[in-house]
Amino acid sequence: MTVAGNTDSGQTSEGSRPHFFHERQQEAIAVRIMHVISTPASGGAEVYVKDLSLAMVAAGHSVHITFLETAAECGRDLEYEHRFLSQLSAGNVSYSFLGIETRRRPWRGATRLRREVTHFAPDVVHCHLYYALMFAFGLPRQLPVMMTVHSIELGAPAWMFRLFDRRVAAYVGICRACTDKLAPIAARPVVQIDNAVSGARLKASGWREANQQAPVQLAAIGRLTDAKQYPLMLESCARLKAQGLAFTLRIAGEGPHKAQLVAQIEALGLNDEVSLLGNISDVAGLLASADAFIMSSAWEGLPISLLEATLSGLPVLVTDVGGCAEVVHRVGNGLVVDQHTPVRYAEALGRLVGDAELRRAFARNARRYGASYHIDTALSGHLALYGSHQPAQDTSGLEVTP
């Protein structure tokens, strides 16, 4: 399909042959990276790849994102896609689409991905979904392919990794839990590079001495799907209301469970407390106006929304899934619920809502220790990974820090 955004193919005198680490002026080495991911949508993996790509370009590298499908093709938010792609274009990140039909006709996906590689001439292809990895079998063997697994639920049986290992140079685990799950079944190296977010697009939460009579402002962000387990959150909120605790909860995100959640909010009598916002353009504003951020996920990788809340300076409440507890234990900015029951979740949520001093202490820790999840850390990790798979004679010029 037609390449959109920044259409500079970036080919050099070497023509369309895949090549490694083109020299830039003053003998610095720039990397040409192609990321392959599903859709320009509001998912955590997609937002992370966008932040990472923009940071790579700002650091002097060249990035092209190849999407599997458009928002229209998979029923996602068209306005959000427009904003997403506009941000890529403004940051000089080029992009293109393979087309949803490649899911049914993988040979077309392989052909189209090879064409994109010929056009952009990347030094490394970084896949973020299994379809892309299957398509990558059609790429030149000398071109390194990386694969990031974005969830603790691997999404593929263990035996398939014996096939993936034939094409993947290295896997990336986005947290310790994901890395530990992936390492025993992958024959290729598994490198832990924690997810991260760009602090440049966030605002510090306006921590304030809240009026003791004012409702505590809670925020949640995520797709309205089984993974986020919102019924648990809502049932727990009903328990807090019954205890006389004053709060509001705003949930940002789209998804197939909206009608079910609207009905549950009505049945629990939470219409005055809980709002479903849909997709929003100002995530930073939502977090900056909140007193705490909460999650009730059934499974996760390392949620981008949790990292956004942490870098915004918010106290958090999470379930012990994926890398969520890793963030809380490293930063010290919240509570972890081990048992996914309304009783246990409501107990922890009640502590957070009912204790302003506890929230203040967690917020202080978020500001003090949250920087390890800044996008610059992930950028350095990825460039070091790419550098470890280049020809040995070229390693001296690789810059791994922005």
Side-chain angles (χ1 to χ4, degrees), residues 116-386:
E116 296 298 332
V117 163
T118 299
H119 182 71
F120 181 67
D123 301 313
V124 61
V125 171
H126 198 139
C127 298
H128 299 269
L129 72 166
Y130 292 120
Y131 276 102
L133 188 52
M134 298 305 295
F135 300 162
F137 276 84
L139 300 179
R141 294 297 302 174
Q142 70 269 28
L143 178 62
V145 173
M146 310 297 169
M147 174 66 189
T148 294
V149 179
H150 285 275
S151 175
I152 196 71
E153 299 294 325
L154 296 181
W159 65 263
M160 286 196 70
F161 283 84
R162 293 196 293 272
L163 173 63
F164 300 154
D165 290 338
R166 294 176 177 269
R167 192 60 190 90
V168 173
Y171 298 92
V172 175
I174 58 172
C175 62
R176 172 51 54 191
C178 291
T179 302
D180 288 346
K181 187 165 185 177
L182 185 57
I185 62 175
R188 295 294 186 178
V190 180
V191 179
Q192 181 180 342
I193 305 175
D194 286 348
N195 273 357
V197 297
S198 171
R201 61 178 177 79
L202 299 173
K203 308 171 186 176
S205 62
W207 184 258
R208 56 201 177 279
E209 289 292 339
N211 184 326
Q212 294 298 312
Q213 302 305 314
V216 174
Q217 307 292 318
L218 304 175
I221 300 172
R223 291 264 293 159
L224 309 182
T225 61
D226 287 335
K228 302 304 179 184
Q229 205 170 208
Y230 284 119
L232 170 62
M233 183 184 294
L234 295 177
E235 176 62 31
S236 301
C237 285
R239 290 172 178 263
L240 261 64
K241 182 176 181 179
Q243 296 169 18
L245 292 173
F247 66 92
T248 64
L249 169 61
R250 292 173 290 171
I251 302 174
E254 61 176 342
H257 289 181
K258 181 176 180 179
Q260 170 189 331
L261 296 175
V262 168
Q264 185 181 10
I265 290 168
E266 175 73 28
L268 293 172
L270 293 173
N271 286 318
D272 292 336
E273 287 78 20
V274 180
S275 303
L276 299 180
L277 305 179
N279 273 339
I280 62 173
S281 59
D282 189 12
V283 169
L286 172 65
L287 294 173
S289 64
D291 296 309
F293 175 81
I294 63 175
M295 301 187 72
S296 54
S297 301
W299 65 87
E300 286 286 359
L302 186 59
I304 294 299
S305 59
L306 173 60
L307 304 185
E308 290 171 332
T310 298
L311 264 68
S312 297
L314 282 177
V316 303
L317 173 66
V318 301
T319 45
D320 188 8
V321 294
C324 294
E326 295 174 32
V327 177
V328 173
H329 294 156
R330 177 185 293 181
V331 179
N333 65 321
L335 301 173
V336 178
V337 180
D338 296 324
Q339 298 180 33
H340 296 198
T341 66
V343 171
R344 295 304 182 198
Y345 193 90
E347 285 178 357
L349 184 57
R351 284 186 63 196
L352 200 61
V353 169
D355 192 337
E357 185 55 43
L358 180 65
R359 296 197 305 274
R360 187 179 299 108
F362 287 155
R364 189 181 306 119
N365 287 343
R367 290 183 173 86
R368 185 173 298 168
Y369 304 116
S372 59
Y373 293 105
H374 192 279
I375 198 66
D376 288 349
T377 303
L379 172 63
S380 295
H382 280 85
L383 294 178
L385 173 63
Y386 302 155

